């Protein structure tokens, strides 16, 4: 909760490493709150196509041209989701997805907690003949819980107390008719 009784946002502005290494997913994560749901639309699609056809041009576009704008946030800005964990892991990596869920950014929390476990398994896996072991761990064993979900006043997408009251009033009015 914010000091005025509102809800804190859950959309962290993507860091430069996130935009460079996971451009479409980082943009989608900010705008849609899910790393893959919006990765084939708008500026995320631009980054994806540039990366597909011009190597790292999409990453350069994401870092230098695209700017996070709170007015672009779609859906409930106080939430993040991972609707398809395996697809998200395929597009980024296990440690990045865990970091996105917990911190709101793909790179910020990659060496903390369960993301660090997935990272270590990705490093150890090839040595024992199981490449991407950390990604398998993320897809099959990791369970995102709301207790791990972090918000901060610096994140975009929050709702003030007045916005929440307005929504509650609209629901009451609609139910009365």
């Amino acid at each position: 909760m914010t000091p005025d009784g509102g809800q804190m946002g859950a959309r962290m502005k993507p860091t430069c490493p996130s935009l460079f290494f996971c451009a479409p997913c980082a943009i989608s994560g900010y705008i849609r709150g899910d790393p893959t749901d919006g990765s084939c639309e708008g500026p995320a699609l631009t980054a994806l196509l540039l990366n597909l056809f011009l190597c790292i041009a999409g990453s350069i576009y994401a870092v230098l041209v695209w700017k996070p704008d709170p007015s672009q946030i779609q859906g409930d800005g106080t939430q993040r989701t991972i609707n398809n964990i395996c697809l998200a892991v395929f597009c980024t990596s296990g440690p990045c997805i865990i970091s996105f869920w917990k911190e709101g950014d793909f790179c910020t929390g990659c060496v903390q907690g369960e993301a660090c476990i997935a990272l270590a398994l990705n490093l150890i896996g090839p040595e024992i003949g199981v490449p991407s072991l950390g990604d398998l761990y993320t897809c099959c064993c990791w369970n995102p819980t709301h207790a791990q979900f972090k918000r901060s006043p610096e994140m975009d997408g929050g709702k003030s107390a007045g916005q929440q009251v307005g929504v509650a009033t609209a629901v009451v009015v609609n139910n009365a008719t």
Side-chain angles (χ1 to χ4, degrees):
M1 295 292 251
T2 61
D4 69 349
Q7 290 181 320
M8 283 192 270
R11 310 288 176 82
M12 181 180 201
K13 290 178 175 65
T15 59
C16 187
S18 290
L19 287 170
F20 189 80
F21 294 111
C22 312
C25 294
I27 294 170
S28 173
Y30 179 79
I31 293 174
R32 294 282 299 266
D34 185 279
T36 57
D37 280 358
S39 60
C40 291
E41 57 190 39
L45 177 62
T46 302
L48 176 66
L49 293 174
L50 286 171
N51 273 347
L52 284 174
F53 296 115
L54 299 172
C55 199
I56 62 167
S59 297
I60 294 168
Y61 160 80
V63 171
L64 298 178
V65 177
W66 181 78
K67 300 293 179 230
D69 179 3
S71 68
Q72 294 178 334
I73 290 177
Q74 299 173 8
D76 186 355
T78 65
Q79 298 297 319
R80 290 187 298 272
T81 61
I82 304 173
N83 290 326
N84 189 331
I85 291 176
C86 292
L87 177 61
V89 166
F90 178 78
C91 293
T92 60
S93 73
C96 290
I97 291 304
I98 294 171
S99 176
F100 174 77
W101 175 256
K102 290 183 174 185
E103 304 288 335
D105 182 70
F106 291 98
C107 296
T108 301
C110 275
V111 293
Q112 301 170 359
E114 292 170 303
C116 189
I117 293 169
L119 179 63
L121 289 172
N122 272 346
L123 295 173
I124 294 167
E127 301 300 322
I128 59 172
V130 186
S132 301
L133 186 59
D135 295 344
L136 291 172
Y137 161 78
T138 304
C139 287
C140 302
C141 302
W142 177 69
N143 186 23
T145 63
H146 288 285
Q148 303 165 329
F149 193 94
K150 295 180 184 171
R151 291 184 178 90
S152 75
E154 293 80 33
M155 292 183 178
D156 293 331
K159 295 179 183 175
S160 69
Q163 288 174 313
Q164 293 175 24
V165 171
V167 170
T169 303
V171 172
V172 171
V173 170
N174 288 336
N175 287 336
T177 57

